[in-house]
Amino acid sequence: MKLVTIILNKTECLDEILEKFTENNIFGATIIDSKGMMQELCEHDHEDMFFLVSIRRLMEPSHKENKTIVMVAKDEDVKIISEIVNLVTGGLQKPDTGILFTLPIDHLEGISL
């Protein structure tokens, strides 16, 4: 089992990702509103970070928040989850799209897979 975490910058893709998960019998995702560190710094204009904040604003994407998707998945479902996310977003290798990572789960209670 894996804990799959997706930090989605392209929040407009969320509904389609979830629909495709459902079509592939992948359920149980939790969606959390989130914000990146640079997004937070840009909002508060930290003087000691002025240079970094200024550069970030030049490259500032249109989004002001992210969606973090967390889910427990069978090992064999991780590949299809990754394929869906990359297909819908146009590819996580593109800048400011998002990231996906997994962590092993060695104990689980409350749900069964």
Side-chain angles (χ1 to χ4, degrees), residues 57-82:
R57 282 198 176 133
L58 289 174
M59 302 171 6
E60 179 67 22
S62 59
H63 73 274
K64 298 293 183 204
E65 66 179 8
N66 318 42
K67 297 290 184 181
T68 299
I69 305 165
V70 293
M71 60 195 315
V72 175
K74 296 176 187 174
D75 290 347
E76 58 269 21
D77 288 340
V78 171
K79 182 178 180 190
I80 188 68
I81 291 167
S82 175

Side-chain angles (χ1 to χ4, degrees), residues 1-75:
M1 286 180 294
K2 301 288 187 200
L3 173 67
V4 179
T5 302
I6 305 159
I7 302 172
L8 186 64
N9 292 340
K10 290 181 76 172
T11 58
E12 66 273 13
C13 296
L14 179 64
D15 288 343
E16 187 177 352
I17 288 170
L18 297 178
E19 287 171 13
K20 290 203 178 296
F21 283 174
T22 301
E23 291 168 8
N24 286 276
N25 295 314
I26 297 169
F27 301 99
T30 298
I31 295 94
I32 303 165
D33 291 328
S34 53
K35 186 185 308 186
M37 183 174 132
M38 290 307 293
Q39 292 163 328
E40 182 69 19
L41 289 172
C42 286
E43 279 185 17
H44 291 83
D45 287 331
H46 291 276
E47 290 180 22
D48 54 337
M49 299 292 291
F50 181 75
F51 178 71
L52 289 176
V53 171
S54 297
I55 288 177
R56 177 67 177 172
R57 282 198 176 133
L58 289 174
M59 302 171 6
E60 179 67 22
S62 59
H63 73 274
K64 298 293 183 204
E65 66 179 8
N66 318 42
K67 297 290 184 181
T68 299
I69 305 165
V70 293
M71 60 195 315
V72 175
K74 296 176 187 174
D75 290 347

